[in-house]
Amino acid sequence: MPVLVLAARICPPGVEATLFAGLMSIFNAGGIVSRQLGAALTDYLGITSTQFENLALLVLITNLSSLLPLPFLRLLDTVPDDDPSGEETLDIEANVKE
């Protein structure tokens, strides 16, 4: 959800639905790819329903792989607090808390 909040804050007016559909497509594709890579890695390590010898290595690899996107966070632009056009922006986080 933090990605959706960030996207809503930086999204130009009028293309919110297109941006949401694009993000959902990327999330769904990422889920499919991650399941396939996880299955391939499990098969490569020889883990089966009765063989758990390399399970600790699989858990270590999968947990460390969740840290891979962190270096790319600096590539994101900063989100301005106010809209440069002078229009009032919707504060999504404030509305959720109320």
Side-chain angles (χ1 to χ4, degrees):
M1 281 308 209
V3 172
L4 294 176
V5 172
L6 176 65
R9 292 187 70 191
I10 64 174
C11 180
V15 294
E16 295 89 354
T18 304
L19 180 71
F20 180 76
L23 283 174
M24 288 298 101
S25 297
I26 292 169
F27 286 149
N28 289 335
I32 292 169
V33 169
S34 70
R35 281 190 291 277
Q36 295 300 319
L37 288 175
L41 185 59
T42 302
D43 185 54
Y44 178 75
L45 292 175
I47 299 170
T48 63
S49 60
T50 58
Q51 176 69 8
F52 302 111
E53 193 171 305
N54 292 326
L55 185 61
L57 179 60
L58 177 67
V59 170
L60 180 67
I61 291 171
T62 55
N63 284 326
L64 289 177
S65 69
S66 66
L67 301 175
L68 288 176
L70 291 179
F72 298 105
L73 287 177
R74 62 183 168 84
L75 297 177
L76 293 174
D77 291 335
T78 58
V79 178
D81 289 334
D82 56 338
D83 190 13
S85 66
E87 296 177 10
E88 201 171 306
T89 58
L90 177 64
D91 190 2
I92 295 173
E93 293 172 349
N95 289 338
V96 171
K97 293 179 183 175
E98 293 177 355

